[in-house]
Amino acid sequence: MKHIQFIIYLMVITHCAFGQSSVTSLFSSNEKVGDKLFERLAFVPALDAYLLALKNNKDNDTLKLKIAESYRLLNDPESASKWYGEVLPQNAGMDAAYYIHYAEVLTSAGKYDEAKDWYLKYGAQTPEDGRVKEKIRGIEDIEKLNKNEFEVSISKVDWNSEFSDFSPAYYGDELLFVSARPGKMKNLQDFKWDGSNFLDIYQVHDSGSVASFNRNVNGKYHEGPLVVYDEGRKMIFTRDNYYKGKLKASKNGTTKLNLYYAERDSVSDQWGDTQPMPFNNDEYSVGHPAISEDGLTLYFVSDMPGGKGGTDIYKSEMKDGNWGKPVNLGEPVNTEGNEMFPFLNNDEELFFASNGHPGLGGLDIYVFDVIKNKNVVNLGAPINSTLDDFGLIIDKQEGYFSSNRDGGKNHDDIYSFTAERPFLTSYIASGTVYDKTSKTILDNVIVKLYDEGGNLIDSIYSDKNGKYAFAVDTGKKYNIKADKDNYFPTELSFKTPNSDEGLWENDLYLNNDYGFQLVGEVVLKGTDEALPGVQVKITDNFTGKNILTAQTDNAGGFVNPLEDKKPGDRVSYQIQLQKDGYLGKNFVFNHLLKEPGPIYLKEFLDLSMDKIEVGTDIGKLVDLKPIYFDLGKSNIRKDAALELDKVVKVMKENPSLQIELGAHTDSRGSAVSNEKLSDKRAKASAAYIISQGIDASRITGKGYGESQLINECADGVKCSEEQHQNNRRTEFKVVKM
């Protein structure tokens, strides 16, 4: 079983007096035996007790949940998810803690879609827990985390044992690490958390051989993560709350982890007596030290009161020979989950493990820019896996880390790695997200970073101050998109310079989405038949800016959101419709925006279109009134000009049309005079249209006199004035499209 679970969830140690044989004799009592063992953190025998009790009560959901919890704490996500799955889906209203536990083991089991559902159920009951949003974001970005983004190669070191080996530390040119392999005899049988040996510190020599470390450091109980500094002369390490031969317990009977300090004698080259650090406490744990190069800033882990979650990372600075009051690192490092195993690289990068940030499952390893106080970055695969990955140390792009991933024989192993480039880049893209109208900051905005090819690189939510930041490479093009419910998304592009360091800053502004949008539906004139493929162009008359160029869909529809508009705004748009084989249209639409919501243009405009072909009389389509001339004259009267202006408008809206303007008379008078008069009138009408900006090649005028009567009213036939009027007409026929 995994020793790391002991440190992850409680950072406490209890020493249980029950041996395995004595537990077996009590199994027949009931699940209370398991409860008592569970309370003492003896999870292996507690699990056995629960499983035995379940045989006599197979439908007991409470027992099943206790079995699930035991498997979870023993870091067996497959078994834990099986038992949670037998209870939680069938029972609504359970304790929300079970929901997040189920989501966590599903994530560790690689069942991300199921895990997302249970994170959402947990979030519905505990909206104040910020982990839910981050965990779901991690699941949505799982492909990115699984990519070998940092070009890292890993291999398992050959000095791992069949027991748990983890948390390496540099010791000059050699290594120290923590292991549960059998060492010197302890005064207790084993550690009842999972039935394994107590933890000791071991040393890897240059030859590759492994030996137990100094007896002044390794004691009777647990010794854990450590740091050696000041050229190997000083050490701070984690140990049970055991000092001067006494094991101290908290008020509830558990023994916490504490930090201890030791120095190596320069003469004897031996480690001296250990001394407790000033922030040790009987009631909470402190452990997992990391230290700055000058030895004056100490980072460590604690579950002390006042933290953000389970275990947080703190720092303390030495002044005048005394360690100062611990300070919680806060956001963005610490979460409501557990942050552990810090390592400080060159006083610039803080590597740590966490199960509170978005990740692949279990503990993942992250790096934080200490100098800029920004950018918690998940190292991704292959450093991280679906199970626990932690305890990373690094020196010039090479280092070691611990993991209990598949292939680790159900315990922790140490891996070496080589990275092709730094885990943190030195160029930062950052800014603040605002409401464009009110200029107030917007938190919880999802901001996504894309490369030049449109591939998603990273995503982050703006913090409570509206801030976002990404680590980016120099000399590359990027695109940033921001989105939030009830707002229109926004985006911008940028290119980083070729310098090694820098800060690109650009704020993002989001418009409120009041639901204002122009909604149109184009149909065939006189029918409900939709017209797809109509070219729609909308221009803002106030700004002259084109706000839409699109085609109608299969239902003849088009939609244009009005992103920068709010109630009370007046709008004015030019709307143009064009489609081959149809008479184009152009409208001016003026409107006062009142209630939020869509604006259906069919309530204000006729968006139907006429089908046209060669020979079509345009005058009939635009409802042209008769064009009158004074008796025997061909000059254009004012009332005739108004009608001809309609033709001008159509020709401007349909620049591919060529028209023949034909003038016709009735049969009264001589045929010769009628032809001459109609030809003069046709050419005068065409000349007027040309004078309004229409190219002369697009329109011709021709008089037909009485040669094309449309009724029987020829010479010698008695007809009414109305019948003669029908023959006196002007036609505008399409001759070419």
Side-chain angles (χ1 to χ4, degrees):
M1 299 302 175
K2 285 84 172 178
H3 248 97
I4 187 57
Q5 283 304 107
F6 151 72
I7 307 176
I8 293 173
Y9 287 99
L10 299 177
M11 283 194 71
V12 295
I13 297 172
T14 184
H15 302 292
C16 173
F18 287 102
Q20 190 68 31
S21 60
S22 62
V23 170
T24 304
S25 65
L26 295 172
F27 279 168
S28 59
S29 300
N30 50 38
E31 65 185 276
K32 291 183 179 179
V33 172
D35 293 342
K36 193 170 184 179
L37 292 165
F38 192 96
E39 289 172 4
R40 297 190 179 199
L41 312 184
F43 297 124
V44 169
L47 177 60
D48 290 338
Y50 291 142
L51 289 170
L52 189 59
L54 189 67
K55 290 182 178 180
N56 298 321
N57 197 354
K58 294 182 179 181
D59 297 324
N60 190 321
D61 286 343
T62 300
L63 265 174
K64 292 177 181 178
L65 286 176
K66 290 177 179 180
I67 292 170
E69 288 287 283
S70 298
Y71 276 122
R72 177 180 67 87
L73 292 168
L74 289 168
N75 209 6
D76 186 346
E78 288 286 354
S79 298
S81 61
K82 170 186 175 295
W83 288 97
Y84 283 127
E86 289 198 11
V87 179
L88 297 182
Q90 293 80 29
N91 293 276
M94 302 292 287
D95 189 328
Y98 291 129
Y99 294 168
I100 194 168
H101 291 168
Y102 190 20
E104 287 172 339
V105 296
L106 285 169
T107 302
S108 291
K111 301 173 183 177
Y112 296 116
D113 290 339
E114 294 178 59
K116 182 178 179 179
D117 292 339
W118 287 97
Y119 277 125
L120 289 171
K121 287 183 174 68
Y122 173 75
Q125 293 195 26
T126 57
E128 71 282 358
D129 194 331
R131 284 178 294 174
V132 174
K133 174 182 66 180
E134 293 298 307
K135 289 290 188 179
I136 291 175
R137 179 169 70 86
I139 290 172
E140 292 172 346
D141 292 346
I142 211 71
E143 288 187 12
K144 178 177 71 72
L145 295 179
N146 268 315
K147 285 172 29 180
N148 191 353
E149 185 177 355
F150 293 107
E151 300 174 359
V152 181
S153 59
I154 69 171
S155 61
K156 190 184 297 185
V157 300
D158 56 12
W159 34 267
N160 284 303
S161 69
E162 60 181 302
F163 303 91
S164 286
D165 303 297
F166 63 96
S167 204
Y170 291 117
Y171 184 44
D173 295 331
E174 297 183 337
L175 286 176
L176 300 178
F177 67 98
V178 180
S179 179
R181 65 185 67 195
K184 61 182 181 299
M185 293 296 295
K186 298 280 188 177
N187 66 346
L188 296 176
Q189 295 176 6
D190 54 18
F191 176 47
K192 296 306 175 186
W193 170 279
D194 61 1
S196 63
N197 302 302
F198 279 80
L199 301 173
D200 273 344
I201 298 172
Y202 287 81
Q203 182 175 354
V204 184
H205 297 294
D206 289 336
S207 62
S209 63
V210 175
S212 179
F213 193 55
N214 185 272
R215 67 176 59 188
N216 285 338
V217 175
N218 283 330
K220 291 183 177 181
Y221 300 107
H222 286 290
E223 285 76 40
L226 68 146
V227 64
V228 180
Y229 62 105
D230 194 11
E231 298 182 348
R233 292 190 292 267
K234 298 177 181 178
M235 172 192 294
I236 299 176
F237 65 98
T238 311
R239 174 191 277 177
D240 287 358
N241 188 2
Y242 177 76
Y243 185 59
K244 292 185 177 180
K246 293 183 179 180
L247 184 68
K248 295 184 179 180
S250 65
K251 293 178 181 178
N252 66 4
T254 58
T255 301
K256 306 297 182 178
L257 299 181
N258 280 181
L259 286 175
Y260 294 85
Y261 169 81
E263 287 191 21
R264 191 173 65 177
D265 186 271
S266 59
V267 177
S268 65
D269 201 34
Q270 296 296 314
W271 289 94
D273 292 337
T274 60
Q275 299 296 322
M277 295 295 283
F279 18 77
N280 289 346
N281 195 289
D282 294 344
E283 299 304 319
Y284 54 79
S285 290
V286 292
H288 303 189
I291 203 160
S292 61
E293 291 185 351
D294 60 11
L296 298 180
T297 302
L298 176 69
Y299 293 82
F300 64 91
V301 175
S302 179
D303 61 348
M304 67 177 64
K308 282 189 64 65
T311 58
D312 286 351
I313 298 177
Y314 292 78
K315 73 175 181 179
S316 174
E317 296 183 356
M318 179 177 283
K319 295 181 180 179
D320 301 324
N322 296 309
W323 289 107
K325 182 179 179 181
V327 177
N328 190 300
L329 292 192
E331 295 179 350
V333 172
N334 290 323
T335 68
E336 290 90 340
N338 299 291
E339 283 67 49
M340 319 179 79
F341 298 99
F343 175 79
L344 190 62
N345 181 37
N346 296 326
D347 291 348
E348 297 177 352
E349 300 172 326
L350 182 69
F351 291 86
F352 66 96
S354 172
N355 62 9
H357 289 280
L360 292 170
L363 285 175
D364 273 11
I365 300 173
Y366 303 80
V367 61
F368 170 66
D369 191 325
V370 175
I371 304 300
K372 296 183 176 70
N373 194 36
K374 291 180 178 179
N375 303 320
V376 170
V377 176
N378 187 307
L379 301 194
I383 293 289
N384 289 322
S385 67
T386 59
L387 295 178
D388 291 322
D389 309 288
F390 57 98
L392 180 143
I393 61 175
I394 187 171
D395 181 27
K396 297 178 181 178
Q397 305 312 119
E398 296 183 347
Y400 302 86
F401 69 97
S402 318
S403 178
N404 57 31
R405 64 189 59 192
D406 291 344
K409 298 180 181 179
N410 204 33
H411 57 244
D412 309 308
D413 283 319
I414 295 175
Y415 293 75
S416 64
F417 72 89
T418 301
E420 296 299 321
R421 63 184 179 90
F423 288 112
L424 272 182
T425 55
S426 57
Y427 201 89
I428 304 299
S430 67
T432 304
V433 188
Y434 293 95
D435 181 304
K436 188 173 184 179
T437 303
S438 66
K439 301 300 187 292
T440 56
I441 62 172
L442 292 177
D443 63 355
N444 202 31
V445 176
I446 181 69
V447 185
K448 296 184 177 181
L449 178 72
Y450 296 85
D451 64 17
E452 188 176 7
N455 300 305
L456 178 65
I457 299 174
D458 201 1
S459 62
I460 192 174
Y461 283 87
S462 60
D463 64 19
K464 61 184 178 182
N465 297 312
K467 300 291 185 182
Y468 73 91
F470 296 107
V472 293
D473 293 325
T474 57
K476 289 189 176 181
K477 293 181 179 179
Y478 294 93
N479 192 41
I480 285 181
K481 296 182 181 180
D483 198 6
K484 183 178 176 67
D485 288 343
N486 301 318
Y487 284 85
F488 286 101
T490 190
E491 64 179 280
L492 55 87
S493 299
F494 67 98
K495 181 179 179 180
T496 56
N498 291 318
S499 59
D500 291 334
E501 292 189 6
L503 180 67
W504 175 89
E505 292 185 284
N506 208 320
D507 297 330
L508 301 172
Y509 294 87
L510 272 65
N511 283 307
N512 283 93
D513 184 2
Y514 293 102
F516 289 131
Q517 53 185 340
L518 301 178
V519 180
E521 181 182 0
V522 185
V523 298
L524 179 65
K525 187 69 171 285
T527 73
D528 292 326
E529 180 183 344
L531 289 182
V534 177
Q535 296 287 338
V536 182
K537 182 179 180 181
I538 303 179
T539 304
D540 190 321
N541 290 326
F542 292 145
T543 65
K545 180 181 178 182
N546 173 241
I547 64 171
L548 178 68
T549 299
Q551 289 189 348
T552 56
D553 59 23
N554 289 335
F558 64 90
V559 177
N560 182 62
L562 305 181
E563 296 187 10
D564 57 348
K565 305 304 179 186
K566 60 184 182 299
D569 284 350
R570 288 188 176 275
V571 296
S572 178
Y573 299 107
Q574 193 83 11
I575 303 175
Q576 188 178 70
L577 306 179
Q578 294 285 341
K579 181 177 174 66
D580 288 342
Y582 293 81
L583 191 65
K585 283 191 171 184
N586 202 341
F587 309 95
V588 174
F589 176 65
N590 299 312
H591 193 69
L592 173 64
L593 301 177
K594 296 180 180 179
E595 296 297 324
I599 302 159
Y600 296 99
L601 293 174
K602 68 180 181 180
E603 297 177 6
F604 309 92
L605 305 171
D606 177 11
L607 298 182
S608 63
M609 297 184 72
D610 292 290
K611 189 174 180 61
I612 56 174
E613 53 191 13
V614 173
T616 298
D617 185 355
I618 297 299
K620 294 180 179 179
L621 300 183
V622 296
D623 194 25
L624 208 68
K625 295 177 182 178
I627 297 174
Y628 295 109
F629 294 86
D630 291 333
L631 182 64
K633 296 182 179 181
S634 60
N635 60 297
I636 304 300
R637 295 175 10 174
K638 289 184 178 180
D639 57 341
L642 292 175
E643 299 307 309
L644 292 174
D645 285 342
K646 295 179 182 179
V647 178
V648 171
K649 182 175 183 293
V650 169
M651 295 190 74
K652 286 183 176 180
E653 292 174 350
N654 297 269
S656 67
L657 288 182
Q658 293 185 23
I659 292 176
E660 180 196 80
L661 192 158
H664 302 265
T665 67
D666 59 26
S667 62
R668 292 176 295 185
S670 71
V672 174
S673 63
N674 281 338
E675 183 176 349
K676 289 182 178 179
L677 179 61
S678 65
D679 195 61
K680 286 183 179 180
R681 289 175 174 176
K683 286 180 170 55
S685 299
Y688 175 83
I689 291 174
I690 292 170
S691 72
Q692 301 304 304
I694 301 301
D695 190 274
S697 65
R698 295 181 57 205
I699 186 165
T700 58
K702 184 177 180 180
Y704 289 92
E706 60 183 85
S707 65
Q708 294 184 8
L709 301 176
I710 60 174
N711 55 31
E712 68 274 17
C713 297
D715 289 340
V717 178
K718 187 176 181 180
C719 292
S720 67
E721 182 59 32
E722 182 179 356
Q723 289 175 308
H724 285 302
Q725 175 64 53
N726 289 336
N727 286 320
R728 296 195 303 273
R729 66 195 187 277
T730 303
E731 296 176 337
F732 301 86
K733 290 187 176 180
V734 176
V735 296
K736 189 175 182 181
M737 296 171 56

